[in-house]
Amino acid sequence: MSISIPTESISIPNHAVLKDGFEWVDLEIVKPTEEAIQLSPGDFALKNQVLPLAVENGVLVAAIGAPEALVAVDELGLLIRMPTRAVLASPAFVREKIEEIFLERILAGLPGESDGSTLLDADETTDLADLQKMAGETAVIQMVNLIFAQAVRDSASDIHVEPYDRDVHVRYRVDGMLREVMTPPKRMHAAIISRIKILGEMNIAERRLPQDGRIKIVIAGRPIDVRVSIVPTVYGERAVMRILDKNTAMLGLEELGMRSDTLAKYRQMISLPYGVILATGPTGSGKSTSLYASLREIWSPTTNILTVEDPVEYQLPGIGQIPIRPAIGLTFANGLRSIVRQDPDVIMVGEIRDQETADIAINAALTGHLVFSTLHTNDAPGAVTRLLDMGVEPYLVASSLIGAIAQRLVRRNCVFCSEPDSPKPEMLEALGLTGNEWVGAAPFRRGRGCDRCQHSGYKGRVGLYELFTIDETIRRLTVARSSSNDMKDHAVQTHGMRTLLGDGVIAVLEGKTTPEEVLRVCRRETV
């Protein structure tokens, strides 16, 4: 049901013009009225990015950043039982004004200690009823909703709630880098943590031991899963929440950013009927996303794919996924042992952490299964030596491993504000781009910073990949326990393997990122 919207123009915008069928309002000139602000619930405005501007002839006029938000304006009218009318404004200004107005009101609405508030610092002796009361305060609920909503809007991968001596810092990890976004009062800390625990179905009375939980929320119509970890610190409990956006997990191989030659070789590798394929790299480098894309690529109604994960971050249709539970004895090794008896064609093990898991995975490959897993190594050839260091017999590694792909994620230059750039000569030299012909050359670009990228110059990330395939020479080097450097040299010279840094150099020359970004994640590599 839609609210009836009068067609006459409102008196706010002497400055308004038509855009996409809407009146366009400059929020640097037009200011929201107190009457309009009082009509709109703060949590609704924050969640839906609807900015009330004025009441004209009994109609609430609200600014939105995109025509798609018109539905939220209609919902606001139903909520407050009043006709509404939408005008269009800059999305950045809409967001800025909403946070400026409603966040300040949330904080201003917090009762102080002198008011007999329950929002006081909690310790191990705080009563459970007091914790529940704190978590139920309207201001606390609004604050937690705001933290989640803003994180999703900023495309954050993690939320950090960090208590210190006198204040609390809330930081988001956006494009791999932490960014501070707000500092709630210290007296809100226990209440915010208790609210998060309630949402994650954790024990709010337990404040001495680490706890894990999971939250399911819907923001702007998108279902979002949040994985929560809470640990005690000297200044109180610290929460880190991983945002699991299903849209990220549904990427295909083409969308990962592999270059065409690498993608073609990788597709050949994952089409083999059996063997072990490893994705390597540090935490947060996109290994799981790559493996999920690989499983989706090879899935068919005639294929039985099973996974063992810690935890299952994304549910993939048509694939059997088993979460490990060490507390009851369901480890990677035990889970892997069981699913081998489930008649699988393809197996994914979330991570090979020890020799037992590695041995079972390799034996599964030797008995005719295609096995995917991850390892923490600096480069792709390092996967071989890592398995040997775990205690796996060299002949088993040589006969089962068919390839490894190392990856990193670097921040992408903002497409809205990137401009030609002249990197410093020492940066070019570190990339191997020596020679005066590169100084001042046109291909280099850098974001100058704008509202779209939060003035960082970067928006989004691009993957760098190093694909290492196993041939007879690598098998002989494996049995001889040769170093990973020897294997890398052979792969580069014989198969033309492009290293992580080499892939990064191409991304820099294409203007996708900067030398500093590539060197930040590939400093240990050589071209």
Side-chain angles (χ1 to χ4, degrees):
M1 175 181 178
S2 297
I3 297 295
S4 176
I5 302 176
T7 57
E8 65 268 21
S9 177
I10 60 174
S11 63
I12 300 175
N14 291 329
H15 318 282
V17 295
L18 288 178
K19 183 175 180 180
D20 296 332
F22 290 83
E23 281 184 273
W24 175 265
V25 176
D26 186 348
L27 294 181
E28 288 189 298
I29 300 173
V30 177
K31 306 299 180 185
T33 66
E34 185 63 29
E35 180 185 10
I37 292 169
Q38 291 291 347
L39 283 171
S40 179
D43 53 351
F44 184 92
L46 288 162
K47 178 180 178 181
N48 296 282
Q49 290 296 284
V50 174
L51 174 65
L53 286 179
V55 177
E56 292 288 337
N57 300 322
V59 178
L60 175 66
V61 182
I64 54 178
E68 293 79 14
L70 180 60
V71 175
V73 177
D74 290 342
E75 291 176 354
L76 177 59
L78 292 170
L79 182 63
I80 64 176
R81 298 182 180 181
M82 186 176 189
T84 55
R85 183 163 125 71
V87 295
L88 208 58
S90 162
F93 279 136
V94 169
R95 171 181 167 177
E96 180 182 325
K97 291 294 182 183
I98 288 174
E99 292 179 0
E100 175 186 320
I101 293 168
F102 291 102
L103 180 56
E104 287 183 2
R105 285 172 180 265
I106 288 174
L107 296 179
L110 289 173
E113 297 181 19
S114 60
D115 301 324
S117 167
T118 59
L119 294 181
L120 303 176
D121 288 343
D123 57 28
E124 296 177 8
T125 63
T126 305
D127 185 76
L128 176 61
D130 288 339
L131 288 173
Q132 291 173 328
K133 185 176 180 182
M134 283 192 291
E137 292 273 3
T138 301
V140 174
I141 294 173
Q142 290 179 332
M143 175 62 74
V144 173
N145 290 346
L146 170 62
I147 289 171
F148 284 128
Q150 185 170 328
V152 173
R153 286 198 305 273
D154 288 353
S155 300
S157 60
D158 299 87
I159 304 170
H160 292 233
V161 180
E162 306 166 346
Y164 295 99
D165 186 20
R166 299 181 181 276
D167 54 16
V168 179
H169 293 187
V170 177
R171 298 196 291 172
Y172 295 160
R173 188 175 294 279
V174 180
D175 295 335
M177 305 295 284
L178 280 171
R179 176 189 305 166
E180 187 167 310
V181 291
M182 63 181 77
T183 54
K186 182 61 183 287
R187 69 179 187 275
M188 283 194 75
H189 171 250
I192 290 174
I193 295 296
S194 295
R195 176 66 183 168
I196 292 170
K197 285 182 178 179
I198 289 172
L199 293 174
E201 299 181 349
M202 290 178 274
N203 182 2
I204 67 172
E206 178 55 74
R207 295 181 293 283
R208 301 165 299 172
L209 297 173
Q211 293 190 67
D212 295 322
R214 197 159 186 146
I215 301 172
K216 292 182 180 293
I217 55 177
V218 177
I219 295 178
R222 292 166 54 192
I224 304 291
D225 279 359
V226 182
R227 195 176 72 203
V228 186
S229 171
I230 295 179
V231 298
T233 71
V234 292
Y235 294 118
E237 290 177 293
R238 172 192 177 113
V240 175
M241 293 164 279
R242 168 66 55 90
I243 297 174
L244 306 173
D245 190 343
K246 290 181 173 60
N247 292 334
T248 303
M250 294 300 109
L251 294 178
L253 285 179
E254 296 89 350
E255 299 166 281
L256 293 180
M258 289 186 195
R259 303 195 178 280
S260 57
D261 57 341
T262 302
L263 179 58
K265 292 177 182 177
Y266 185 68
R267 277 187 161 140
Q268 289 178 356
M269 185 184 296
I270 66 176
S271 66
L272 295 174
Y274 57 86
V276 177
I277 298 173
L278 297 174
T280 74
T283 301
S285 59
K287 300 187 299 296
S288 295
T289 301
S290 294
L291 292 187
Y292 283 144
S294 303
L295 295 182
R296 293 181 68 236
E297 173 91 3
I298 63 177
W299 181 87
S300 74
T302 61
T303 304
N304 182 23
I305 302 178
L306 296 174
T307 74
V308 186
E309 304 173 58
D310 179 26
V312 174
E313 294 187 350
Y314 303 101
Q315 285 78 46
L316 301 178
I319 295 175
Q321 297 172 271
I322 302 170
I324 75 163
R325 297 176 181 172
I328 60 173
L330 180 54
T331 62
F332 275 126
N334 291 339
L336 185 52
R337 225 180 255 113
S338 297
I339 66 174
V340 168
R341 296 191 288 270
Q342 289 282 313
D343 187 31
D345 299 297
V346 180
I347 299 169
M348 187 187 91
V349 186
E351 182 183 348
I352 293 179
R353 296 177 179 174
D354 51 44
Q355 181 183 350
E356 184 181 14
T357 306
D359 283 337
I360 300 171
I362 286 174
N363 285 325
L366 293 175
T367 54
H369 303 91
L370 185 61
V371 180
F372 292 88
S373 192
T374 67
L375 276 178
H376 293 289
T377 64
N378 289 329
D379 57 13
V384 175
T385 53
R386 180 76 182 96
L387 290 173
L388 298 179
D389 290 342
M390 283 183 178
V392 181
E393 291 295 333
Y395 73 92
L396 291 176
V397 177
S399 56
S400 62
L401 187 64
I402 57 179
I405 186 164
Q407 61 186 85
R408 300 288 189 278
L409 294 175
V410 294
R411 291 182 293 172
R412 184 191 294 269
N413 284 329
C414 175
V415 297
F416 301 102
C417 66
S418 70
E419 56 189 16
D421 181 54
S422 297
K424 297 177 181 178
E426 57 266 28
M427 290 287 103
L428 296 178
E429 185 176 355
L431 290 177
L433 299 175
T434 54
N436 294 330
E437 70 273 13
W438 293 108
V439 179
F444 305 105
R445 299 187 70 84
R446 181 184 302 273
R448 68 177 180 275
C450 65
D451 290 340
R452 301 286 189 97
C453 62
Q454 304 292 312
H455 300 280
S456 67
Y458 301 99
K459 187 171 179 64
R461 288 191 284 180
V462 61
L464 307 180
Y465 297 92
E466 176 181 290
L467 184 62
F468 177 65
T469 56
I470 306 298
D471 62 9
E472 286 303 319
T473 301
I474 296 296
R475 291 189 178 96
R476 288 196 296 270
L477 291 173
T478 301
V479 173
R481 294 183 177 270
S482 298
S483 70
S484 62
N485 286 335
D486 291 340
M487 297 181 190
K488 173 180 278 191
D489 290 342
H490 169 76
V492 171
Q493 294 166 11
T494 305
H495 299 291
M497 183 184 79
R498 188 166 47 245
T499 66
L500 287 168
L501 185 57
D503 212 28
V505 168
I506 296 176
V508 170
L509 293 176
E510 291 175 342
K512 292 181 179 179
T513 189
T514 60
E516 289 84 356
E517 268 299 289
V518 172
L519 292 171
R520 179 176 66 85
V521 301
C522 301
R523 193 170 294 276
R524 297 180 183 177
E525 308 299 333
T526 57
V527 179

